[in-house]
Amino acid sequence: MLKISRKQKKIVETVSVLVGIAIILGSCLVFWGHPFLEDVVFLTFASVMIPIVIVEYLDYRWRKAVDQHLPDLFRSIVQAQQTGMTLPQAIEEAAKRNYGPLTVELQKMNAQISWGISFEEALRSLGRRVNTVLMQRTVPLIIEASRSGGKVEKVFDPMGKFIQTTLLLEKERKTQARPYLAIIYVAFYVFLFTVVLLFNSFFVQASELPPAMGMVTLTPEEAKRVFFHMTAIQAFFGGLIAGKMGEGSVKAGLKHCVVLLITGYIALKMFLV
């Protein structure tokens, strides 16, 4: 499973934004005053988010796999210590098993210890590399358990159960949040349906009537632009809210933004005639 570092994420985000800005500026110079300009800006804005969404999703999968294997790792450490191994020996033995992406990090940690780095420093380095919330919580506990000595397995057993409970609660929270995500999507598509119905039943027919005295009406093209902008705003902020509610992160909402923006764009192009 591919690991995405912070530096790689920053590079992807920076390059995507810069390329998007360059395309938009170039389009403004070429298509200024042309209706096609708004389409280019809209599609560029959606396309800029796609690489960021892919990188965030890969990083999310990697972190999730690490957290899911932590309870198994702690059980292995407890079993190894019950046979008389020290804590560093137990972790070294655990690194020989398959814990998904966590195995590679454990092997790096063992390599650092073999080079003469202290166990505590190697463990802190592991925490910095993995950098998940659960790992940041458990590393200080492991260090304190190593310093205290005695029956360290009594610390790891409840720690593994705590992590397992935390993962179950997080899964339950996401399950309970799904109806609210559905509400955001349904509300957006109801909005699209209302826009299409209002445009085709009112603005198109109103344009065929003679102008009434003192009454200012939008032309169909002006109405299209207004609805186009409203749809983009609704899709973008609705997607961000969906990410915050569903996964607790605004950045996680970018994938919802892309879906809503693209489907909204297609719907307006197909049904606003």
Side-chain angles (χ1 to χ4, degrees), residues 41-68:
V41 173
F42 184 91
L43 293 175
T44 301
F45 183 69
S47 300
V48 163
M49 289 189 284
I50 292 177
I52 301 174
V53 168
I54 294 174
V55 169
E56 287 293 328
Y57 178 70
L58 292 175
D59 183 57
Y60 167 76
R61 284 187 59 194
W62 188 87
R63 290 172 178 272
K64 183 179 178 182
V66 168
D67 287 341
Q68 287 177 340

Side-chain angles (χ1 to χ4, degrees), residues 224-242:
K224 277 186 181 181
R225 293 183 62 185
V226 172
F227 289 143
F228 188 78
H229 297 162
M230 291 172 61
T231 300
I233 294 172
Q234 175 84 359
F236 180 72
F237 288 103
L240 296 182
I241 293 172

Side-chain angles (χ1 to χ4, degrees), residues 47-103:
S47 300
V48 163
M49 289 189 284
I50 292 177
I52 301 174
V53 168
I54 294 174
V55 169
E56 287 293 328
Y57 178 70
L58 292 175
D59 183 57
Y60 167 76
R61 284 187 59 194
W62 188 87
R63 290 172 178 272
K64 183 179 178 182
V66 168
D67 287 341
Q68 287 177 340
H69 283 92
L70 281 177
D72 299 329
L73 172 64
F74 290 150
R75 278 194 295 267
S76 298
I77 293 175
V78 171
Q79 293 171 0
Q81 288 195 303
Q82 288 174 347
T83 63
M85 293 184 181
T86 63
L87 181 54
Q89 290 173 339
I91 294 179
E92 182 179 358
E93 184 65 25
K96 298 176 183 178
R97 303 183 183 182
N98 183 18
Y99 297 108
L102 191 57
T103 303

Side-chain angles (χ1 to χ4, degrees), residues 81 87 119-120 140-156:
Q81 288 195 303
L87 181 54
F119 173 75
E120 291 186 9
L141 295 177
I142 296 174
I143 292 175
E144 290 301 322
S146 175
R147 290 174 179 174
S148 63
K151 295 184 178 180
V152 184
E153 61 270 15
K154 291 184 178 181
V155 177
F156 282 94

